[in-house]
Amino acid sequence: VRYWSARNFGSSSRGVVLRLLAVIPARGGSKSIPRKNIKPFAGKPLLSWTIDAALKVSKISRVIVSTDDIEISQIARRHGAEVPFLRPSELAQDQTAGVYSLLHALEQLPDFDGVLLLQPTSPLRTADDIAGLIDLALESGSDSIVSVSKVNKHPFWMYTIQADKSLHPFCNGGDAVNRRQDLPDVYSLNGAIYFVRSSWVLEKKTLIGQNTLGYVMPEERSIDIDTMFDWRVAEIMLDKDHEQ
């Protein structure tokens, strides 16, 4: 993955026009936090934060929610998203990879040049983040772009523990680095935004390939809610943002 930051690109798209579909996957089952996608987050359903951000991006042609759940579909529509179909239950399981909800959406709505996958568990991601990634897609011509954020716990200083409790470096070379400022920057997927060209994803059946670009988002907007701890941290960050 090659990494780019929002500051590297302006709003130029070189006159290229893409018909973009935004897909927000929101299945009904959630074991870590029951009914997570419609649980109130800072006063409104978690799902609605992503819908609101997507609807503000002018380059997105349609914003849809892909769900297997009737209640989620009703809430999604009330907040301005389309729900043109219900996702089959076999594509809404814990082990179902995100790309399959996207592929299913393209089967139902094939007339799009590119697709954005926007996870509802990233409520701090903004319309500007989405628009910036789209600008990168237009400027670069890339088939695949994912949002990332810089890690603050570097893998060079991580270890595995063996049965005898001995520590073994997770990455080769980490023991030769003594200062944080000497470490190379490392990024992780933050789960907030995925972009793929339709023809590419239909052929590759994946969201990430050898030439995928990384769009850098700040850590404070990169929280991916999986646990109640994540939830509380995200609400704190949202409150701090509103205080500024």
Side-chain angles (χ1 to χ4, degrees), residues 39-146:
K39 179 179 171 67
F41 174 82
K44 60 184 184 181
L46 180 66
L47 171 68
S48 69
W49 291 88
T50 295
I51 295 173
D52 290 348
L55 289 173
K56 292 175 183 176
V57 180
S58 62
K59 289 187 175 75
I60 294 176
S61 303
R62 291 180 71 178
V63 177
I64 73 165
V65 168
S66 171
T67 184
D68 61 321
D69 188 277
I70 294 295
E71 183 182 13
I72 290 176
S73 71
Q74 294 170 340
I75 291 173
R77 289 190 179 102
R78 284 204 296 270
H79 286 271
E82 298 180 54
V83 188
F85 53 81
L86 286 180
R87 195 189 332 164
S89 59
E90 61 268 22
L91 296 179
Q93 305 301 312
D94 284 339
Q95 67 275 16
T96 304
V99 69
Y100 291 109
S101 62
L102 189 151
L103 291 170
H104 176 259
L106 279 177
E107 288 178 3
Q108 311 303 311
L109 304 168
D111 297 326
F112 289 90
D113 304 301
V115 192
L116 292 161
L117 185 67
L118 305 174
Q119 303 279 12
T121 49
S122 298
L124 305 186
R125 168 235 300 108
T126 67
D128 286 342
D129 293 321
I130 300 170
L133 189 144
I134 292 172
D135 285 343
L136 174 55
L138 296 172
E139 185 77 20
S140 67
S142 177
D143 290 319
S144 168
I145 303 174
V146 296

Side-chain angles (χ1 to χ4, degrees), residues 189-204:
L189 305 181
N190 67 5
I193 315 169
Y194 297 82
F195 163 83
V196 285
R197 291 188 186 270
S198 301
S199 57
W200 185 86
V201 74
L202 289 169
E203 176 188 354
K204 302 295 185 181

